[in-house]
Amino acid sequence: EDLRELVQEAHKRGMKIVMDAVFNHTGREFFAFEDIMEKGEKSKYLDWYYIEKFPLESERGEIPNYKCFGYYGGMPKLNLKNPEVEKFFTDVACYWIKECDIDGWRMDVGDEISHYFWKNFRRAVKAVKKDMLIIGEIWHYAGDFLEGDEWDTVMNYDAFMEPLTWFLTGMEKHSDEYREDLLGNSEAFIGAMKTHMRALHMSALQTAMNELSNHDHSRFLTRTNHRVGRVQELGAEAANENVNVAVMREAVTIQMTWPGAPTVYYGDEAGLCGFTDPDNRRTYPWGREDYQMIDFHRVMIRIHKKYEVLKTGSLGFLWNDYQGLCYARFS
């Protein structure tokens, strides 16, 4: 009921609601896996996962004796080749569209799920809501998923986040590496953008999630301090030190004027910092917001929404040099 009301109120305001789904794996507390842990080989859900032997290893740090995400036993991998499992999770996706009229699904670790599943999934959800948006999470080439019968678009790492991060900060997206040769290197930036944007057909490119930060990587504002490391070794305060808000504003300017769908990770607009997961999931800085950054986001979002060419126009590079870049959007 709460979600239905949220979606209805959002729609009244011209907003869309995209939900997040993890169909690659579950937690160990999921009913099917709990049943396996309780009943062992007698469980009717045995074929829902890839169980190698009993008893099940469970402690973090051990190599589990079942397939899982990231070698972490807390995330057992689903067997979506099982028609029963495929139907269950496809029905889940359709349920929330029917019940609450949501507008899209963002699919976690989508590249670790088979093309066969995604083809069937698309047919099912599009039959319920034709303009339902399907966004796949993938950190590399996505063309195989974007042939018109699986995903609509992707989280745009290759053709946005990574090239822009190297160009403006010289940092790898986890803050694990600093490359001075890529900082301000507009030739490398343009080359990467041209190469990776070609892999996205036009409708996928125009709807791709163009993020500066998200829940998996360090905050963009933290990357501007050129500090290599993670919170475990450097401490949380190091993520806030010597950041460059002017570079952050440059990034936001490009984000709001580049082909794709600008996607703001909560707190970025308020100047929130943080190293990679889990430090990037800090609470919103209530009472400590950077109001200049918030106002700047408002201005740039207003510009993005005002000019149709920033949503659907073509891109042309006009001039570039070390630390310099000029481009146009045109219809």
Side-chain angles (χ1 to χ4, degrees):
E1 289 77 14
D2 290 339
L3 179 61
R4 188 182 295 115
E5 181 183 2
L6 173 67
V7 174
Q8 288 171 352
E9 292 298 322
H11 286 175
K12 288 179 186 177
R13 293 160 174 79
M15 300 168 69
K16 307 290 187 182
I17 298 292
V18 177
M19 285 179 63
D20 187 64
V22 188
F23 291 170
N24 177 67
H25 52 272
T26 70
R28 288 171 59 88
E29 299 79 17
F30 189 65
F31 72 88
F33 200 83
E34 278 195 330
D35 193 80
I36 294 172
M37 288 194 293
E38 179 185 341
K39 300 175 183 175
E41 296 181 66
K42 295 181 180 179
S43 171
K44 66 178 181 178
Y45 299 109
L46 197 62
D47 290 336
W48 280 45
Y49 297 90
Y50 296 92
I51 308 297
E52 295 167 4
K53 62 180 180 179
F54 289 94
L56 300 179
E57 302 290 345
S58 61
E59 295 302 317
R60 190 168 188 168
E62 296 179 358
I63 299 176
N65 48 14
Y66 49 88
K67 286 186 180 181
C68 52
F69 173 70
Y71 304 103
Y72 175 43
M75 299 180 182
K77 182 174 175 61
L78 286 161
N79 176 16
L80 290 167
K81 295 178 182 178
N82 181 338
E84 186 181 3
V85 182
E86 178 191 1
K87 183 180 185 304
F88 179 91
F89 285 96
T90 301
D91 286 350
V92 166
C94 292
Y95 173 86
W96 293 107
I97 305 170
K98 294 173 183 175
E99 287 293 321
C100 299
D101 196 26
I102 64 169
D103 304 289
W105 281 110
R106 177 264 184 192
M107 314 309 300
D108 195 62
V109 288
D111 58 319
E112 295 189 17
I113 298 174
S114 74
H115 292 288
Y116 177 82
F117 174 83
W118 288 127
K119 292 178 196 298
N120 291 337
F121 178 87
R122 181 185 181 89
R123 282 192 291 267
V125 299
K126 295 283 186 175
V128 178
K129 190 171 186 176
K130 186 176 180 181
D131 61 350
M132 186 79 186
L133 185 65
I134 304 172
I135 306 170
E137 182 199 17
I138 186 169
W139 293 19
H140 50 81
Y141 174 74
D144 294 342
F145 294 92
L146 296 172
E147 296 182 357
D149 57 353
E150 296 182 43
W151 305 342
D152 293 314
T153 192
V154 292
M155 297 178 69
N156 200 4
Y157 287 105
D158 280 355
F160 189 77
M161 182 196 277
E162 292 206 50
L164 188 63
T165 292
W166 288 119
F167 175 53
L168 291 182
T169 72
M171 295 292 289
E172 186 270 338
K173 61 184 179 292
H174 288 284
S175 291
D176 284 342
E177 182 184 7
Y178 174 65
R179 294 261 317 258
E180 190 168 3
D181 62 313
L182 292 179
L183 175 62
N185 188 334
S186 58
E187 288 290 339
F189 171 79
I190 292 171
M193 284 298 199
K194 284 183 174 180
T195 297
H196 296 302
M197 287 171 74
R198 284 192 200 105
L200 303 173
H201 58 76
M202 187 58 73
S203 61
L205 183 65
Q206 290 176 347
T207 54
M209 287 179 69
N210 287 352
E211 302 174 294
L212 299 176
S213 316
N214 63 31
H215 63 293
D216 283 322
H217 306 97
S218 59
R219 294 268 179 176
F220 188 91
L221 187 55
T222 288
R223 286 176 232 150
T224 67
N225 69 9
H226 303 163
R227 189 79 181 270
V228 174
R230 301 197 174 199
V231 67
Q232 295 90 336
E233 61 220 40
L234 299 177
E237 188 54 37
N240 308 324
E241 296 171 351
N242 302 314
V243 297
N244 190 327
V245 293
V247 172
M248 178 74 181
R249 287 195 293 268
E250 286 182 317
V252 173
T253 301
I254 295 175
Q255 181 185 37
M256 296 298 166
T257 57
W258 201 261
T263 307
V264 180
Y265 185 45
Y266 81 96
D268 268 14
E269 78 284 7
L272 194 59
C273 294
F275 287 116
T276 198
D277 194 15
D279 196 39
N280 52 19
R281 307 185 190 217
R282 297 180 187 185
T283 54
Y284 187 83
W286 298 112
R288 297 174 286 107
E289 300 97 329
D290 180 340
Y291 284 104
Q292 284 187 317
M293 188 67 77
I294 290 174
D295 288 342
F296 186 77
H297 272 80
R298 285 175 173 156
V299 168
M300 292 310 305
I301 291 170
R302 190 177 303 123
I303 290 171
H304 173 82
K305 295 176 75 172
K306 181 178 179 180
Y307 296 101
E308 181 64 28
V309 71
L310 294 179
K311 302 181 191 126
T312 59
S314 298
L315 172 75
F317 293 104
L318 304 181
W319 170 89
N320 71 287
D321 201 345
Y322 173 68
Q323 294 278 23
L325 177 69
C326 183
Y327 59 90
R329 299 295 304 280
F330 59 93
S331 64

